[in-house]
Amino acid sequence: MKHDKILIVDFGSQVTQLIARRVREEGVYSEIVPYQKAAEAYAAMRPKGIILSGGPASVHEEGAPLPPTSLYEAGVPILGICYGEQAMAHQLGGLVEGGHHREFGRAEVQVTDECLLVDGIWQVGEKYPVWMSHGDRVTRPPEGFKVVGTSPNAPIAIIADETRHFYGTQFHLEVMHTPHGALLLRNFVRKVAGCEGDWTMRTFKEEAIEKLRAQVGDGKVICGLSGGVDSAVAAVLLHEAIGNQLTCVFVDHGLLRRGEAKRVIAMFRGHYNIPLVHVNAREQFLAALDGVTDPEDKRKIIGKAFIDIFEEEAKKLGGAEFLAQGTLYPDVIESVSATGGPSVTIKSHHNVGGLPERMNMKLVEPLRELFKDEVRALGRELGLPDVFVGRHPFPGPGLAIRCPGEITAEKLEILRYADEIYIEEIRRAGLYDDIWQAFAVLLPVKTVGVMGDGRTYDYVVALRAVTSTDGMTADFYPFDMKFLGHAATRIINEVKGVNRVVYDVTSKPPGTIEWE
Ligand SMILES: Nc1ncnc2c1ncn2[C@@H]1O[C@H](COP(=O)(O)OP(=O)(O)OP(=O)(O)O)[C@@H](O)[C@H]1O
Ligand SMILES: O=c1[nH]c(=O)c2[nH+]cn([C@@H]3O[C@H](COP(=O)(O)O)[C@@H](O)[C@H]3O)c2[nH]1
Ligand SMILES: NC(=O)CC[C@H](N)C(=O)O
Ligand SMILES: [Mg+2]
């Protein structure tokens, strides 16, 4: 079945991914491509509409990123947002000027004319809140366009060419701070581009199963199963597709939380009849990590050890041609970086980067088009119980990256205990599902305390809890102080070796969710 698609051309905006999410929420499949690949992607995808994202550049800069002009001749509707609007206006003969009217944050747009983009949502003559972030602005629309909305610092805030179906907004309609933005995007996707909105997790599932069968044939597949959401969903999807050609491999690397290995295996075996190999590799990992303190070194050592084990297990099965992974869309989007150069590596995720060159197995990645919340929806569609679907993410390198500095068996044991109490308290307070991810970190610092009139000199535990939708950005969770005080007291009283607890109030950016 062919679904309608929307192509999103990226010019490096911080919020390009939100455009894709909003479009998908309308039941329309969308993909993001860097502007350099727009023509190619258009030809391959045949989208029913194109959205040009915002971006940090100015159209007057030398070498400013511009969409290929062929897009304007393709006969499909185009929506330009912020820089995307400016680029379209500039290329089609309008005027864009920089100047002294920079506008960041909340603004008001007054609607001055009708058009399909605002149809049924905004009334002519009324004012509506929007979110702006720009220095340049369109000062003369190209021929064929009319001005539909105006704001104090962007007199031309919405433009429309209703013959060619080209629209542009100076404000960002993909962000929450433009309250009607999602509805305007729906108008573009449904009314202007005429998309059906039939891309649902049910159809995704059926098509993914077909594709998996075609890719794998009668080959054997190994799927690394972590107990996390992504690999559980990938495994169940694969099982529906290829049945007993699939074997799952759960690696206990000694960096799991307390009771996790048992829990994951019981949970999985209890619900599914999928062959599951449990590898105890605790000594192998801990030996490889002995004395290692650099976060990137830790990640690389762990990534390599995982592959070694998967390859070993494949051999034992008499050879498996495929390795299945729960790679998600944010891992594969190539965003245009603001500086024009390749973007820097913040962290090497253990399952991405470096993997393909070394692998003898081919990768099977059925979730690579999905965002995290979509994976959860797919999991529900596959009938996965809530204990899988609702779990907080847990990183593959596990407690190794929650134990800054050298990792020892003693430190891991302290961390496991503190983490267990913290999560238990979160569940007891009914907060688990409000929080996107929560965990404890054991700091490589000892501080002085007093307990039972005696002096202590023990470790510090940091607690972390964040809200997020996809882990790309996050905010710290605003616990009430009573909760924190209670959790801290329990940890200090019950965990030997800890005499101080702190709470991390850093958002992402500038922080990251994990500490390493
Ligand atoms: N202990 C493990 N044993 C086997 N495979 C693992 C293990 N930990 C991670 N993996 C593999 O690495 C992949 C990436 O891990 P990641 O943590 O991103 O996903 P997940 O664990 O499936 O889901 P979640 O993000 O919800 O934790 C997993 O999909 C899984 O294939
Ligand atoms: O499977 C994984 N392998 C990794 O190497 C890895 N590093 C971070 N994470 C998880 O990714 C999300 C974002 O984390 P950061 O803000 O720390 O980058 C958070 O949910 C992290 O737990 C990982 N998951
Ligand atoms: N957010 C944007 O797309 C900004 C566009 C352009 N860089 C400006 O400052 O006007
Ligand atoms: Mg995980």
Side-chain angles (χ1 to χ4, degrees):
M1 187 174 164
K2 280 265 171 282
H3 299 286
D4 298 332
K5 295 174 192 153
I6 294 284
L7 175 64
I8 297 163
V9 180
D10 183 31
F11 294 98
S13 163
Q14 297 298 313
V15 288
T16 302
Q17 291 204 16
L18 287 179
I19 307 174
R21 305 177 60 83
R22 295 286 104 79
V23 171
R24 287 169 173 218
E25 279 158 21
E26 294 305 320
V28 176
Y29 181 67
S30 65
E31 266 182 36
I32 300 170
V33 297
Y35 73 95
Q36 301 95 323
K37 296 193 179 157
E40 221 178 291
Y42 177 82
M45 209 176 145
R46 294 280 149 198
K48 286 193 91 169
I50 298 170
I51 299 178
L52 309 175
S53 86
S58 168
V59 292
H60 297 299
E61 278 164 23
E62 216 179 282
L66 291 171
T69 49
S70 59
L71 294 187
Y72 302 114
E73 279 129 42
V76 302
I78 300 179
L79 169 65
I81 300 175
C82 202
Y83 180 78
E85 179 208 33
Q86 297 164 5
M88 177 164 68
H90 176 70
Q91 287 177 298
L92 296 179
L95 196 61
V96 176
E97 290 179 281
H100 312 289
H101 300 282
R102 292 148 61 89
E103 214 175 3
F104 298 100
R106 207 187 122 95
E108 252 182 0
V109 162
Q110 178 162 33
V111 180
T112 53
D113 205 340
E114 293 176 348
C115 79
L116 212 47
L117 188 68
V118 302
D119 184 51
I121 297 161
W122 284 356
Q123 313 292 325
V124 176
E126 297 293 317
K127 289 183 177 164
Y128 300 93
V130 297
W131 193 79
M132 298 264 196
S133 173
H134 67 115
D136 295 353
R137 55 188 193 168
V138 177
T139 50
R140 190 188 69 221
E143 200 155 328
F145 281 80
K146 62 179 181 181
V147 178
V148 178
T150 168
S151 85
N153 281 322
I156 300 181
I158 310 175
I159 53 174
D161 176 338
E162 299 221 84
T163 314
R164 285 183 288 180
H165 311 291
F166 293 167
Y167 297 82
T169 65
Q170 183 56 69
F171 56 90
H172 286 267
L173 31 66
E174 67 276 31
V175 301
M176 291 294 181
H177 306 289
T178 298
H180 303 116
L183 294 173
L184 300 178
L185 261 176
R186 170 184 297 173
N187 268 0
F188 177 74
V189 167
R190 298 291 198 96
K191 291 189 184 171
V192 178
C195 295
E196 287 289 341
D198 57 0
W199 187 74
T200 60
M201 276 305 137
R202 163 138 336 143
T203 57
F204 178 90
K205 179 186 105 180
E206 284 155 11
E207 289 160 19
I209 287 174
E210 287 311 309
K211 275 193 227 159
L212 284 172
R213 286 184 184 142
Q215 185 189 356
V216 172
D218 53 13
K220 279 191 207 153
V221 181
I222 278 190
C223 177
L225 189 84
S226 66
V229 182
D230 310 338
S231 51
V233 172
V236 173
L237 186 68
L238 271 159
H239 189 66
E240 286 213 9
I242 58 165
N244 60 12
Q245 289 160 253
L246 171 71
T247 303
C248 289
V249 178
F250 171 70
V251 180
D252 179 352
H253 49 18
L255 303 162
L256 299 170
R257 291 166 289 190
R258 186 195 286 274
E260 179 119 39
K262 263 201 200 130
R263 195 162 47 232
V264 167
I265 286 170
M267 217 157 65
F268 207 73
R269 292 210 170 122
H271 284 284
Y272 295 99
N273 193 17
I274 304 176
L276 175 61
V277 179
H278 173 190
V279 181
N280 179 346
R282 276 178 262 177
E283 276 168 25
Q284 181 179 336
F285 276 85
L286 291 192
L289 287 167
D290 189 37
V292 178
T293 56
D294 180 78
E296 279 298 291
D297 289 347
K298 287 181 185 175
R299 287 172 168 276
K300 289 188 177 134
I301 289 168
I302 292 168
K304 180 177 174 302
F306 264 120
I307 300 168
D308 290 345
I309 290 172
F310 290 142
E311 283 182 343
E312 242 170 69
E313 292 306 315
K315 248 187 241 146
K316 286 187 201 159
L317 289 172
E321 299 93 305
F322 299 95
L323 173 71
Q325 296 209 114
T327 308
L328 305 189
Y329 195 41
D331 302 334
V332 301
I333 297 176
E334 266 182 79
S335 292
V336 177
S337 86
T339 53
S343 18
V344 296
T345 302
I346 308 293
K347 304 180 181 192
S348 314
H349 278 224
H350 76 282
N351 56 328
V352 193
L355 198 56
E357 302 107 79
R358 278 206 69 243
M359 293 291 307
N360 301 321
M361 289 182 269
K362 286 177 233 132
L363 291 179
V364 177
E365 299 181 317
L367 310 179
R368 60 183 284 127
E369 290 168 359
L370 303 184
F371 289 103
K372 186 90 184 182
D373 46 339
E374 293 171 335
V375 171
R376 290 205 160 104
L378 176 62
R380 288 189 202 100
E381 187 61 42
L382 286 161
L384 258 83
D386 280 342
V387 284
F388 281 110
V389 176
R391 290 194 93 194
H392 288 178
F394 182 70
L399 302 184
I401 56 171
R402 294 178 178 175
C403 202
E406 206 176 323
I407 299 160
T408 64
E410 181 217 2
K411 282 186 180 170
L412 289 173
E413 209 36 48
I414 293 175
L415 177 55
R416 274 192 198 102
Y417 200 178
D419 189 77
E420 182 180 47
I421 293 173
Y422 179 46
I423 300 298
E424 197 177 289
E425 287 301 326
I426 285 176
R427 284 193 189 276
R428 189 172 294 165
L431 301 175
Y432 189 85
D433 292 334
D434 280 353
I435 294 171
W436 197 78
Q437 191 174 14
F439 53 87
V441 179
L442 186 73
L443 304 192
V445 181
K446 286 190 171 183
T447 70
V448 174
V450 49
M451 274 165 128
D453 287 337
R455 179 186 193 267
T456 57
Y457 186 58
D458 283 330
Y459 286 114
V460 181
V461 162
L463 303 180
R464 181 96 166 119
V466 296
T467 54
S468 179
T469 47
D470 48 24
M472 308 289 294
T473 57
D475 211 345
F476 71 86
Y477 187 77
F479 284 121
D480 73 44
M481 285 294 159
K482 252 201 190 139
F483 172 89
L484 284 174
H486 176 67
T489 306
R490 263 201 75 191
I491 291 169
I492 293 165
N493 286 348
E494 295 175 37
V495 185
K496 228 174 148 251
V498 176
N499 66 356
R500 193 179 293 269
V501 171
V502 296
Y503 185 56
D504 180 355
V505 291
T506 318
S507 61
K508 171 183 180 175
T512 55
I513 297 175
E514 303 287 349
W515 278 42
E516 289 195 329

